[in-house]
């Protein structure tokens, strides 16, 4: 209101100066003809028209710039503004504005009406706008923190899934290895048992040659049983250890033992009665 009042005062002074210039420049004679008066009035009308038009245009552009500032700030904060152009010609409201101007800028002690006593708007960069600005900034900061935390959680989840897959694969490999080791251990136990039994039989036959002579048939049966067991063990070993060094070593051992059995048979055949 203060700015508009100042501009209006300048416009009125300009108009007054136009009339004063006309008086000073043309009113030098006491009598004028109709044509002269018409010419002076036409010139005055042109000057006043130009000044008033220029001021009205400037006022319009000034209002546009003011509204542009307000709309830009409203757009920044995503505010939806609505205007009612018909209210611009409301005589009652215009009179209230005139009364408000008169009460604000005149030196009289007249108080404004109760309708005009309303709370003033807070400055654009303070108060509610400042609080809204801080709130939005806090929300944006919190949003960035949540995005960062989400990325961290996604990375950790991906790493956990990869680690889980590796552990599952390692567990399967370990189970397979344990299964193979279990089979190998069983076979080794069987071979060890057969070896111990064979050695025991061999020692018994050497230490108790007389007993073997009396129980030759039983000894032959035991030898055949041992041979069958060795044959069975060899087949099992061949199935499990065909590609291993343990199989070849064990086969050599069994071959040597067979040779020893053959030697033992030859020795025992000397004691068999002739038909």
């Amino acid at each position: 209101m203060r700015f508009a009042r100042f501009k209006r005062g300048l416009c009125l002074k300009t108009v007054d100066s136009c009339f004063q210039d006309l008086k000073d420049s043309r009113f030098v004679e006491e009598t004028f003809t109709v044509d002269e008066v018409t010419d002076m009035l036409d010139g005055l009308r042109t000057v006043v028209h130009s000044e008033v038009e220029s001021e009205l245009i400037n006022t319009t552009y000034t209002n546009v710039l003011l509204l542009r500032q307000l709309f830009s700030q409203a757009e920044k904060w995503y505010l939806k503004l609505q205007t009612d152009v018909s209210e611009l010609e409301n005589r009652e409201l215009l009179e209230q504005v005139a009364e408000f101007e008169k009460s604000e800028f005149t030196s009289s002690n007249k108080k404004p009406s109760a309708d005009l006593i309303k709370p003033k708007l807070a400055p654009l960069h303070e108060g509610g706008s400042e609080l809204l600005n801080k709130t939005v900034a806090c929300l944006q900061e919190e949003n960035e923190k949540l995005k960062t935390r989400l990325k961290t959680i996604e990375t950790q989840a991906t790493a956990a899934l990869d680690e889980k897959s590796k552990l599952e694969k390692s567990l399967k490999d370990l189970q397979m290895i344990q299964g193979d080791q279990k089979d190998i251990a069983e076979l080794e136990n069987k071979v060890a048992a057969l070896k111990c039994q064979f050695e025991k039989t061999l020692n018994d036959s050497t230490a108790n040659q007389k007993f073997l002579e009396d129980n030759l048939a039983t000894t032959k049966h035991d030898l055949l049983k041992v041979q069958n067991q060795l044959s069975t063990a060899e087949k099992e070993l061949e199935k499990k250890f065909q590609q291993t060094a343990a199989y070849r070593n064990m086969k050599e051992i069994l071959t040597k033992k067979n040779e020893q059995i053959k030697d033992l048979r030859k020795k025992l055949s000397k004691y068999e009665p002739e038909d």
Side-chain angles (χ1 to χ4, degrees), residues 10-64:
L10 290 179
C11 181
L12 293 177
K13 289 181 178 179
T14 302
V15 173
D16 292 340
S17 65
C18 292
F19 283 90
Q20 188 63 38
D21 291 341
L22 178 63
K23 291 179 181 179
D24 296 338
S25 61
R26 300 297 299 274
F27 290 172
V28 293
E29 300 179 2
E30 294 182 357
T31 59
F32 298 93
T33 62
V34 174
D35 293 336
E36 290 176 343
V37 173
T38 301
D39 183 60
M40 286 188 293
L41 293 176
D42 289 341
L44 179 61
R45 182 187 64 184
T46 300
V47 174
V48 173
H49 181 275
S50 177
E51 291 293 337
V52 173
E53 182 182 19
S54 176
E55 187 61 30
L56 291 176
I57 291 175
N58 185 67
T59 301
T60 302
Y61 292 169
T62 303
N63 291 332
V64 170

Side-chain angles (χ1 to χ4, degrees), residues 73-130:
Q73 296 182 43
E75 182 180 9
K76 180 180 179 181
W77 299 110
Y78 303 99
L79 301 179
K80 295 182 179 180
L81 304 181
Q82 295 181 350
T83 58
D84 188 358
V85 180
S86 62
E87 292 294 329
L88 299 178
E89 297 181 358
N90 190 321
R91 298 306 306 174
E92 182 179 357
L93 295 178
L94 292 175
E95 290 176 359
Q96 291 180 6
V97 173
E99 185 67 22
F100 173 77
E101 181 186 16
K102 185 182 299 184
S103 63
E104 287 290 330
F105 298 103
T106 58
S107 58
S108 62
N109 296 327
K110 183 178 180 181
K111 296 183 179 180
S113 61
D115 295 337
L116 293 177
I117 302 176
K118 296 180 180 180
K120 296 182 179 181
L121 294 176
L124 291 175
H125 298 289
E126 299 176 1
S129 178
E130 182 67 20

Side-chain angles (χ1 to χ4, degrees), residues 160-204:
L161 291 175
D162 294 339
E163 187 66 21
K164 180 181 178 182
S165 300
K166 293 179 180 179
L167 291 176
E168 289 178 350
K169 184 178 180 181
S170 299
L171 180 60
K172 291 180 180 179
D173 295 340
L174 181 60
Q175 290 175 348
M176 293 178 64
I177 293 172
Q178 289 178 347
D180 295 339
Q181 290 179 348
K182 184 178 180 181
D183 295 337
I184 293 171
E186 291 178 356
L187 292 175
E188 288 178 348
N189 292 333
K190 289 181 180 180
V191 172
L194 292 174
K195 183 178 179 181
C196 291
Q197 188 175 0
F198 173 76
E199 291 177 351
K200 183 179 179 181
T201 303
L202 182 61
N203 293 331
D204 291 341

Side-chain angles (χ1 to χ4, degrees), residues 132-145:
L132 179 60
N133 188 12
K134 292 181 179 179
T135 303
V136 172
C138 292
L139 292 176
Q140 290 177 347
E141 182 179 359
E142 186 68 21
N143 189 26
E144 292 298 328
K145 291 181 179 179

Side-chain angles (χ1 to χ4, degrees), residues 239-252:
K239 292 179 181 179
K240 297 293 183 177
F241 300 101
Q242 289 181 355
Q243 302 298 328
T244 61
Y247 169 77
R248 293 192 296 270
N249 294 333
M250 187 57 64
K251 188 174 182 181
E252 291 176 0

